[in-house]
Amino acid sequence: MTIFYTYFLSLPFAAAIEPHLPILQVVVPLLCAPICVLLRDAKLSWLWATIVTWITFFIALVLLGKVLASGLIIYELGSWPAPWGIEYRIDAANALVLVIVTAIAAITLPYAKVSVEKEVARPRIYLFYLMYMLCMTGLLGITTTADAFNLFVFLEISSLSSYVLISLGGNRRALTASYRYLIMGTLGATFYIIGVGMMYMMTGSLNMADLATLLPAVDHTRTVLAAFAFVVIGLGLKLAMFPLHTWLPNAYAFAPSAVTVFLASTATKVAIYALLRLVFTVFGGTDLFASTDISLMLIIVALIGMFAGAFVAIFQTDVKRMLAYSSVSQVGYMVLGIGMATAAGLTGGIVHLFNHAVMKGAAFMAVGAMFYVIGSVRLNDLAGIGKRMPVTTAVFLVAGLSLIGTPLTVGFISKWQLVQASLALGWWYVAAGILLSSLLAIVYVWRVVEVAYLKAPPEGAARRSEAPLSMLVPMIVLAAATVWFGIDGDTTLRIAGEAANALMGPASGGKP
Amino acid sequence: MQGLVDIFKPLYDLWLSFEAFMVGPASPGLLGYWIVIALMMTGFYIVIAHDNLVKKIVGLNVFQVSVFLFYILMAKVTGGTAPILAEGITQYSNPLPHVLILTAIVVGVATTALGLALVVRIRNAYDTIEDDEILAVEEEEDR
C-alpha cells in the first residue's frame, strides 16, 4: 500500500496537494458530479464518471499508504481548529473503508456501461452517473468526517441518491422498493440526528474526539442513554441490522444490476463503519456498551440475523433477492464482531467488511451479467447456464464458495477470525452459530449451482452466449481478489487489526 | 355548606396536583419538549399505521418537524435575544443548533420532494397509492 504513497510523492504537484488529500477525497466527486448534467450524453458521462472515480480510488490508496506509514491524519476544514470547525480524521479504520468504497465504485463502472445501457432508459443514463457519483461522495464523506452532524449530512446525500438509483430499475417494483427504503432510511437518519442532538445538549460539542472526552462525565444521565439508543437504532436501520432489514431485499433485487453491485458492497459497509465509529470512538470513553447489555443485544440480533437471512435466502426463486437475503445474513457476522467488543472480534468484523464487499460484488456482478444475457435471474430460467455462460457461472461459484466460507476464499478468513475471537471469549455457542449458519449458505448456493450445472439448457437456447468482455473483466478481477485475499489473508487481517486498534485505542480518544 | 365543599374536594385535589406538576420535574417549562414528543409520536404513528403513501410522507414530515423543534428548543436561552453583535445585547440564544437545523430542513424538503415524485411514478405504474393494494398486486406477481 505504501508504494502508492511513495509514487504519489514523486509526482510534480504532490507537495501542493498532499496536505489537502482528505478533503479532495470527498470534494472531487462532489464537484465533478454535476458536470454529467452539462455533458448530457450517455457515453461521455460514463467516461467522465469513470475517470473521476478512478482518481478518487487513487487518492484513497495514497491516503491508506500515508496512514500506514505515518499514522493519523487530521485535516481542519477552512483552518478552523477542532471543536469549533469541522475536522476530517483519517486513521487505519476509515482509510480501509475509503479504499473499499472507491475500489468497488471504480471497478463497477466499466461493468456498468453495457449493463446500464440495457436496463436504464437512454435519456436518463447521464442522470444515473450523476447520482452514482453523488452516492459515492456521500459514502466517502461519512467515512472521512470526524463531526457527528456532518456525518448526518453525508448520510442523507448518499441515501437520497441511492433512492434515485434504485428507482431507475426497469421493473415497476423498483419504485415501491425505493419508496420503502426512503421511508425507512429517513426514519433511520432522523433517529440518528435525535441522538446527536441529545449528545449536543449534554456536551455542547459535535466533534467526535471532543465528544469522546466530554461524554464520560455525563454518561449516567438518561439523556445520554437515550442518545446512545437513538444512534444505534438509527444506524441499525441504515446498515440493515436484523430486524430493521426489511427495506433491503427488494431494494437490492429490483435496482439496476450495477447499482446492486455498488450498494451491496459499499452502502451497508459504510453504515457499519459509522456504527463502529460512534460506539467505539464517541462512546468509547463511557462504559455504556458494557453496562447496558447492548453488546449482548447486538450478539443476539446478529445471531438471529445470520440464521434468518440465510434461511429465507434458501426459499427465494429470484437469485438477486436470494443474494440480498444472504447480505442480511452476512451483515449479521459483522454486527457479531462489533458485539464481541474485543480487538480480535472487531478485527473479524472489519475484515469481513472488506471480504464481503469483494465476494458480494463478484456474486452480484455475475448475476447481473446473467440478467444482461438472458433477461431473467429466476432459478427456472437459469437452467444450464453453466454451459451457456461458463466464465460468469464460474465467478458466481467462487463467490458462492466464499459466502459459505470455504478455505482458500476470503469468506473463510473472516469466519475463521470470528470463530477464534468467540472461542477466545469462551462463547462456543457463538462459534457453533457461525458454523451452522454457514451450512445454510451451502444450501442456497447449491440451489443455484444445481440449476446451473446439472440441468440441461432449454431447447433452442444459444449454446454459448457469454457476457461482453467489459462485464467479464471486472467480475474476474473481483473473483481473483476473492481467491487472492483468501490465500493471503495476512495483509487484510493486519490492516483490519490496525483499524480495530485505531477504533478502540487511546489515540482516537477512546478507552485505552 | 360543608356538603358543597366536599363535592368540590376532588376538583381541589386536582388543582393541587396540577400545582405540584407545575413546579415538578416535568413542569410546563418543559412544555416545548412535551410538544416535541407528542409530534414525534404522532408522525411516527402516521408513518407506520397509514396505507396511503402520501399520508406516510406527511407523517414523515411531522416526525422531522418535531426534531427541528427539538433542536430549536435546546438552543433557546431564557431571556436571550438573537445572536447579533450590537449595543446592549449581553445574553443571546445559541445560534449553532439553529444553523444545523436549517441544513436538516433542506434535507427534509429534498426527501419530501423525492418521496412525492416516487408516489407519482408509483401511481402511474400501479393505478393506486394505497400500500395494501400495492402489496396485494406484488404478492400476486410473486406467485
Side-chain angles (χ1 to χ4, degrees):
Chain A
M1 284 299 155
T2 43
I3 51 164
F4 291 101
Y5 184 48
T6 39
Y7 168 70
F8 171 76
L9 288 181
S10 71
L11 294 173
F13 49 81
I17 288 184
E18 205 258 4
H20 300 292
L21 280 178
I23 188 71
L24 283 175
Q25 178 81 88
V26 181
V27 162
V28 166
L30 180 68
L31 293 183
C32 290
I35 292 176
C36 282
V37 181
L38 300 176
L39 293 172
R40 279 216 163 230
D41 178 76
K43 283 216 171 63
L44 277 178
S45 50
W46 169 78
L47 189 68
W48 178 242
T50 310
I51 294 169
V52 172
T53 310
W54 279 90
I55 291 174
T56 50
F57 180 35
F58 177 69
I59 296 176
L61 285 174
V62 172
L63 280 172
L64 180 60
K66 191 178 172 188
V67 165
L68 291 181
S70 57
L72 181 70
I73 306 171
I74 296 178
Y75 183 84
E76 289 167 348
L77 265 71
S79 303
W80 290 94
W84 297 282
I86 293 170
E87 67 171 353
Y88 283 6
R89 269 170 183 250
I90 298 181
D91 55 24
N94 46 7
L96 178 68
V97 179
L98 287 177
V99 169
I100 295 174
V101 172
T102 51
I104 296 290
I107 209 153
T108 307
L109 274 170
Y111 171 91
K113 188 168 179 293
V114 285
S115 169
V116 167
E117 276 168 8
K118 177 145 184 164
E119 291 177 37
V120 178
R122 194 162 180 87
R124 293 202 203 114
I125 289 183
Y126 74 95
L127 291 172
F128 175 92
Y129 291 112
L130 166 73
M131 286 300 158
Y132 188 90
M133 278 202 268
L134 282 180
C135 186
M136 185 176 70
T137 305
L139 297 175
L140 294 175
I142 296 170
T143 315
T144 44
T145 190
D147 184 275
F149 197 85
N150 200 227
L151 195 153
F152 161 74
V153 176
F154 281 118
L155 190 69
E156 284 292 24
I157 291 177
S158 70
S159 304
L160 284 167
S161 44
S162 54
Y163 307 146
V164 178
L165 283 172
I166 290 164
S167 74
L168 286 171
N171 194 314
R172 65 177 176 176
R173 294 181 67 175
L175 298 170
T176 48
S178 169
Y179 179 88
R180 293 196 181 113
Y181 183 21
L182 182 138
I183 297 287
M184 299 287 268
T186 309
L187 284 179
T190 311
F191 267 55
Y192 175 77
I193 41 168
I194 295 172
V196 170
M198 288 174 168
M199 284 195 269
Y200 184 79
M201 278 172 97
M202 297 311 290
T203 61
S205 181
L206 292 167
N207 181 286
M208 289 184 185
D210 203 28
L211 279 171
T213 53
L214 293 171
L215 276 175
V218 287
D219 67 354
H220 57 278
T221 58
R222 196 173 289 170
T223 315
V224 170
L225 206 61
F228 190 57
F230 271 114
V231 165
V232 170
I233 301 293
L235 291 175
L237 265 164
K238 295 302 296 185
L239 66 83
M241 181 165 71
F242 183 89
L244 308 170
H245 68 279
T246 48
W247 56 269
L248 185 141
N250 276 352
Y252 283 9
F254 296 107
S257 304
V259 175
T260 311
V261 172
F262 179 59
L263 290 183
S265 316
T266 58
T268 46
K269 312 293 172 296
V270 168
I272 286 175
Y273 161 77
L275 183 66
L276 281 168
R277 183 59 82 189
L278 263 296
V279 166
F280 290 109
T281 302
V282 175
F283 285 96
T286 68
D287 59 351
L288 284 181
F289 199 77
S291 65
T292 53
D293 284 337
I294 197 140
S295 141
L296 182 70
M297 187 194 92
L298 285 182
I299 284 172
I300 292 172
V301 159
L303 280 171
I304 299 175
M306 276 154 56
F307 279 98
F311 181 74
V312 179
I314 291 172
F315 294 94
Q316 299 304 311
T317 51
D318 180 305
V319 179
K320 238 173 146 185
R321 206 196 279 180
M322 172 190 289
L323 289 177
Y325 274 109
S326 148
S327 275
V328 175
S329 162
Q330 301 284 333
V331 162
Y333 294 108
M334 297 170 221
V335 176
L336 189 66
I338 301 176
M340 285 180 196
T342 61
L346 261 189
T347 307
I350 292 168
V351 86
H352 197 56
L353 215 97
F354 174 81
N355 292 346
H356 183 245
V358 172
M359 61 190 174
K360 217 24 145 332
F364 271 124
M365 275 189 182
V367 173
M370 291 173 189
F371 187 79
Y372 179 80
V373 172
I374 63 173
S376 161
V377 285
R378 298 187 88 77
L379 271 179
N380 295 335
D381 301 324
L382 292 182
I385 197 83
K387 297 189 186 72
R388 296 170 66 188
M389 303 176 68
V391 182
T392 307
T393 317
V395 168
F396 184 89
L397 187 63
V398 170
L401 286 174
S402 183
L403 285 173
I404 296 166
T406 327
L408 300 184
T409 59
V410 285
F412 175 73
I413 302 283
S414 32
K415 281 187 184 170
W416 183 245
Q417 175 72 22
L418 283 170
V419 166
Q420 279 183 321
S422 47
L423 287 181
L425 286 166
W427 296 349
W428 58 267
Y429 46 89
V430 172
I434 294 171
L435 297 176
L436 285 174
S437 62
S438 302
L439 291 179
L440 290 178
I442 295 179
V443 180
Y444 63 74
V445 171
W446 172 252
R447 285 195 70 198
V448 181
V449 172
E450 184 187 21
V451 169
Y453 285 111
L454 301 182
K455 282 199 179 165
E459 293 286 323
R463 275 188 48 233
R464 200 65 179 278
S465 50
E466 195 51 84
L469 204 61
S470 67
M471 297 178 100
L472 282 180
V473 172
M475 74 172 95
I476 291 172
V477 169
L478 282 185
T482 307
V483 177
W484 174 273
F485 291 111
I487 295 169
D488 170 35
D490 289 344
T491 322
T492 44
L493 275 177
R494 185 175 56 84
I495 298 177
E498 277 189 37
N501 285 333
L503 285 166
M504 300 185 91
S508 55
K511 231 176 345 193
Chain B
M1 203 61 195
Q2 187 58 38
L4 207 61
V5 169
D6 284 346
I7 288 171
F8 285 102
K9 181 76 169 50
L11 205 61
Y12 178 65
D13 285 344
L14 203 66
W15 174 254
L16 282 184
S17 50
F18 175 66
E19 275 187 334
F21 171 75
M22 295 289 275
V23 295
S27 72
L30 301 172
L31 181 65
Y33 292 102
W34 285 108
I35 294 174
V36 167
I37 291 169
L39 278 177
M40 195 181 280
M41 292 305 121
T42 312
F44 201 34
Y45 178 77
I46 296 172
V47 174
I48 293 170
H50 272 273
D51 275 329
N52 186 306
L53 298 186
V54 176
K55 286 184 185 169
K56 269 184 197 283
I57 299 272
V58 173
L60 205 60
N61 267 305
V62 175
F63 183 64
Q64 286 178 314
V65 164
S66 76
V67 180
F68 304 160
L69 210 57
F70 173 60
Y71 269 72
I72 293 165
L73 277 167
M74 82 167 88
K76 174 66 183 165
V77 175
T78 313
T81 63
I84 303 165
L85 206 60
E87 279 295 312
I89 292 181
T90 50
Q91 202 176 33
Y92 51 84
S93 294
N94 183 353
L96 183 71
H98 295 172
V99 178
L100 293 179
I101 224 56
L102 276 180
T103 317
I105 289 170
V106 174
V107 169
V109 170
T111 312
T112 310
L114 181 60
L116 291 176
L118 279 172
V119 174
V120 172
R121 293 276 313 274
I122 289 172
R123 153 118 182 121
N124 288 341
Y126 286 85
D127 269 336
T128 175
I129 53 166
E130 295 294 325
D131 208 16
D132 48 348
E133 290 171 21
I134 292 169
L135 278 174
V137 172
E138 290 187 343
E139 269 170 28
E140 196 65 33
E141 271 179 19
D142 272 342
R143 229 169 270 140

